[in-house]
Amino acid sequence: SYVLTQPPSVSVAPGKTARIACGGYNIGSYSVHWYQHRPGQAPVLVIHYNSDRPSGTPERFSGSNSGNTATLTISRVEAGDEADYYCQVWHSNSFWVFGGGTKLTVL
Amino acid sequence: QVQLVESGGGVAQPGRSLRLSCAASGFTFSIYGMHWVRQAPGKGLEWVAVISYDGSNKYYADSVEGRFTISRDNSKNTLYLQMDSLRSEDTAMYYCAKYAEGATEFEHWGQGTLVTVSS
């Protein structure tokens, strides 16, 4: 089965840039989607197809994908960005696959 | 405004059954595929099952294949998950999510319903 690996946690000071990695074998050949999940709320799609922002996603959120790593970048981090972030791909053998999730802490 | 509202969660004993529902509104339900995704306590998200817009195609995660059944009633704008032979490892928050045909992302999610399997 296809495996996506994320760091359990990332910490960043307000106003700084957070980068959350998502590792997978040859992930650059797949479309990667990113979700923000605040406790007690519904997950929200923030980046789809590697780098596209759905309507409603602030421009501070961006994505990239190449080789064996996809990255979600959040610029000018705000307290409200504190949440769990998940990467996700569709794989022909494993279907819909999620990374283990990264807890973003705003210091 | 898209709304997905899950219901039907609760406490069930191992080996028993539960049926979850997901009421959809704010979009044309009959042209969208639907997923169930779950999150066990302290764990990450896990895809459970998917059904196409017309119910003709269904796929399941290996962990629930043969025990769970996904279905939909487009006349009622409602998605279902019949959960049989429940196990303790099925304890989780269950979310429904919509997707457009051909898309690989979960476009919009509900807030979830909690299922606890315990004797």
Side-chain angles (χ1 to χ4, degrees):
Chain A
S1 62
Y2 191 73
V3 176
L4 296 175
T5 301
Q6 297 181 238
S9 63
V10 167
S11 299
V12 63
K16 300 299 186 182
T17 298
R19 294 179 179 84
I20 298 173
C22 175
Y25 178 75
N26 199 26
I27 195 174
S29 65
Y30 300 96
S31 292
V32 178
H33 315 298
W34 290 92
Y35 303 88
Q36 178 189 67
H37 191 196
R38 297 188 177 102
Q41 298 188 20
V44 175
L45 177 69
V46 293
I47 292 287
H48 59 172
Y49 299 102
N50 302 321
S51 58
D52 291 342
R53 282 185 301 274
S55 61
T57 299
E59 291 186 8
R60 301 184 295 105
F61 287 74
S62 62
S64 63
N65 184 20
S66 178
N68 293 317
T69 305
T71 303
L72 173 68
T73 300
I74 308 173
S75 304
R76 302 180 300 284
V77 166
E78 303 172 356
D81 297 331
E82 191 161 281
D84 294 327
Y85 290 85
Y86 293 88
C87 57
Q88 176 255 315
V89 302
W90 185 89
H91 186 275
S92 59
N93 289 339
S94 306
F95 296 155
W96 288 267
V97 181
F98 290 96
T102 298
K103 180 177 179 60
L104 176 67
T105 299
V106 181
L107 300 170
Chain B
Q1 176 186 358
V2 173
Q3 277 205 313
L4 297 170
V5 180
E6 301 91 338
S7 62
V11 180
Q13 293 181 326
R16 304 301 291 263
S17 300
L18 276 178
R19 188 176 84 153
L20 306 184
S21 299
C22 169
S25 61
F27 66 100
T28 306
F29 182 71
S30 60
I31 65 171
Y32 281 89
M34 297 293 296
H35 293 275
W36 286 100
V37 178
R38 67 185 180 184
Q39 183 177 34
K43 303 293 186 182
L45 299 171
E46 178 191 16
W47 172 75
V48 173
V50 63
I51 187 168
S52 58
Y53 69 99
D54 61 355
S56 61
N57 292 299
K58 306 173 186 180
Y59 299 96
Y60 300 89
D62 289 345
S63 57
V64 306
E65 177 85 57
R67 300 187 299 120
F68 290 10
T69 303
I70 190 171
S71 63
R72 64 190 297 160
D73 185 337
N74 285 347
S75 68
K76 296 182 178 179
N77 288 350
T78 303
L79 172 73
Y80 303 100
L81 185 67
Q82 177 67 39
M83 309 165 65
D84 298 323
S85 302
L86 283 164
R87 305 168 180 169
S88 58
E89 55 263 38
D90 296 320
T91 294
M93 184 71 78
Y94 284 75
Y95 300 95
C96 61
K98 67 187 274 283
Y99 76 98
E101 285 300 310
T104 58
E105 75 271 35
F106 303 85
E107 188 178 285
H108 193 94
W109 302 60
Q111 298 230 347
T113 187
L114 182 62
V115 172
T116 302
V117 182
S118 173
S119 54

